[in-house]
Amino acid sequence: MKRVLSAAFVLGLAAVAPMGAHHSISAEFDLSKPVKFSGTIKKVEWTNPHIYTHVEVKEPDGKTVVYRVEGGAPNTLFRQGWRKDTLKIGEGVSVSGIRAKNPESMNIGQATILTADGKRVFGGGGGGAAAAAPPANQ
């Protein structure tokens, strides 16, 4: 009986753990801190539970910073037609989103990325239902 209860407990924990992994937007990001910037794609991390696009920006003081822009889940973006190489390294983009609550964090949430030719990526909802349609050429 103890083994059955132990197995049931472990299975119960395994089922609940993924639910705790996902966070609300307001847990990490400050909705009162919108941000807009332009830069170039440095790296795209196509990983679960969100992809991250690293965008290098030259600040007015001449310093270079790299923002980590949170996107949707890879599976959601893939089903919408996006691929790992939709955003190209070195490509110029414009980003709008919200800053992280932690002032030292370079994470940006609720982001929309616009490519130089006007393609909209992530659609402000992190790539969920509000995401833009995939590019016509894919």
Side-chain angles (χ1 to χ4, degrees), residues 8 51 93 98 118 127 129 131:
I51 75 161
V93 294
I98 53 176

Side-chain angles (χ1 to χ4, degrees), residues 30 33 40 43 50 61-62 67 75 88 92 99 103 117 119 131 137:
D30 186 339
K33 293 183 180 175
T40 57
K43 177 168 111 174
H50 299 278
D61 64 2
Y67 289 100
N75 187 35
K88 312 271 189 269
R99 293 290 310 252
D117 61 0
K119 291 179 192 163
N137 63 353

